[in-house]
Amino acid sequence: AQSVTQLDSQVPVFEEAPVELRCNYSSSVSVYLFWYVQYPNQGLQLLLKYLSGSTLVKGINGFEAEFNKSQTSFHLRKPSVHISDTAEYFCAVSDTGSGGSNYKLTFGKGTLLTVNP
Amino acid sequence: GAGVSQSPSNKVTEKGKDVELRCDPISGHTALYWYRQSLGQGLEFLIYFQGNSAPDKSGLPSDRFSAERTGGSVSTLTIQRTQQEDSAVYLCASSRLGTYYNEQFFGPGTRLTVL
């Protein structure tokens, strides 16, 4: 079984400031890692994912995340945020097993990012 | 192209009534998923369909919850004898195949309120 902890439920920042949204996971098996964004009254949209290879992953809208296996973390960062980045962000994991369960996403509880002018 | 659509967008019902929530996946997507998003629990997996069969129903919280998929397309999530704790946003997602590297595309959700 896996679990995902998003350490901050809310993160307020000013426009053009950098931001880091933290995500830690726990799993007894290897995992794939994802960040999703949910804008108000919309479904979730994939921002980026880590499957293998380089531990620094770049996604849409200028976001990036770094996989740190030793710290079991996958923090999301953006060097300069915009008002339009205001949304809820979800970290998720799935296992890498070939047993057929790697479709199942386990989500954290989300971090509400509010960008203020 | 069209994304995942869900209906209704909002549903208010009385405790004890049955409700049906509908999901139209992206055309050609063989895998379909239902999740529940509630304040206390975050996003929880409910059920996974591959075609019309559901190999994983492990997330359904009780036998009051059921789901079916017909024609490899539309899916309906049914909640019988609704309870107040069923109040949540129910999200549907679809992907080309049911594997990790196939991105799951989410619908806007159905907000269910049980009075």
Side-chain angles (χ1 to χ4, degrees):
Chain A
Q2 297 116 20
S3 66
V4 178
T5 302
Q6 292 184 241
L7 297 162
D8 304 296
S9 59
Q10 296 186 53
V11 173
V13 295
F14 288 109
E15 193 173 18
E16 298 183 7
V19 71
E20 179 179 80
L21 306 183
R22 296 179 292 169
C23 171
N24 286 86
Y25 68 92
S26 173
S27 177
S28 56
V29 298
S30 297
V31 296
Y32 298 121
L33 296 145
F34 308 82
W35 275 98
Y36 281 83
V37 60
Q38 186 177 32
Y39 298 103
N41 300 315
Q42 295 186 28
L44 277 71
Q45 178 184 1
L46 182 66
L47 266 181
L48 48 77
K49 60 188 175 189
Y50 172 78
L51 304 180
S52 65
S54 172
T55 57
L56 182 63
V57 180
K58 294 189 183 297
I60 62 172
N61 301 339
F63 284 92
E64 64 181 31
E66 185 154 22
F67 170 53
N68 188 318
K69 188 174 182 180
S70 63
Q71 296 187 4
T72 60
S73 68
F74 191 54
H75 300 334
L76 181 71
R77 297 191 290 257
K78 186 169 182 179
S80 176
V81 295
H82 303 291
I83 300 283
S84 59
D85 292 323
T86 294
E88 190 150 23
Y89 292 79
F90 293 91
C91 182
V93 303
S94 71
D95 70 49
T96 64
S98 58
S101 65
N102 56 24
Y103 54 82
K104 185 186 296 186
L105 296 174
T106 299
F107 287 89
K109 294 194 175 181
T111 297
L112 179 62
L113 173 66
T114 304
V115 182
N116 297 302
Chain B
V4 178
S5 60
Q6 294 186 244
S7 61
S9 55
N10 280 284
K11 176 72 176 178
V12 180
T13 190
E14 294 178 348
K15 178 181 172 182
K17 302 277 189 180
D18 297 352
V19 295
E20 286 189 351
L21 312 179
R22 177 188 168 105
C23 172
D24 277 277
I26 293 173
S27 178
H29 281 192
T30 63
L32 186 147
Y33 317 78
W34 284 98
Y35 293 87
R36 180 168 71 172
Q37 186 176 21
S38 54
L39 279 176
Q41 301 299 321
L43 266 159
E44 306 169 279
F45 167 85
L46 296 179
I47 187 170
Y48 157 62
F49 285 92
Q50 180 56 48
N52 291 335
S53 64
D56 188 346
K57 306 178 183 180
S58 62
L60 294 178
S62 76
D63 58 8
R64 296 186 295 105
F65 287 73
S66 63
E68 65 174 12
R69 189 179 185 195
T70 55
S73 180
V74 172
S75 176
T76 303
L77 177 69
T78 301
I79 309 173
Q80 296 178 309
R81 305 180 302 283
T82 52
Q83 304 294 313
Q84 288 182 333
E85 61 262 29
D86 299 334
S87 295
V89 177
Y90 290 82
L91 292 169
C92 175
S94 69
S95 64
R96 287 182 57 82
L97 296 170
T99 56
Y100 67 91
Y101 53 83
N102 285 273
E103 177 182 346
Q104 294 185 25
F105 292 84
F106 284 78
T110 293
R111 181 176 297 278
L112 175 66
T113 303
V114 182
L115 301 177

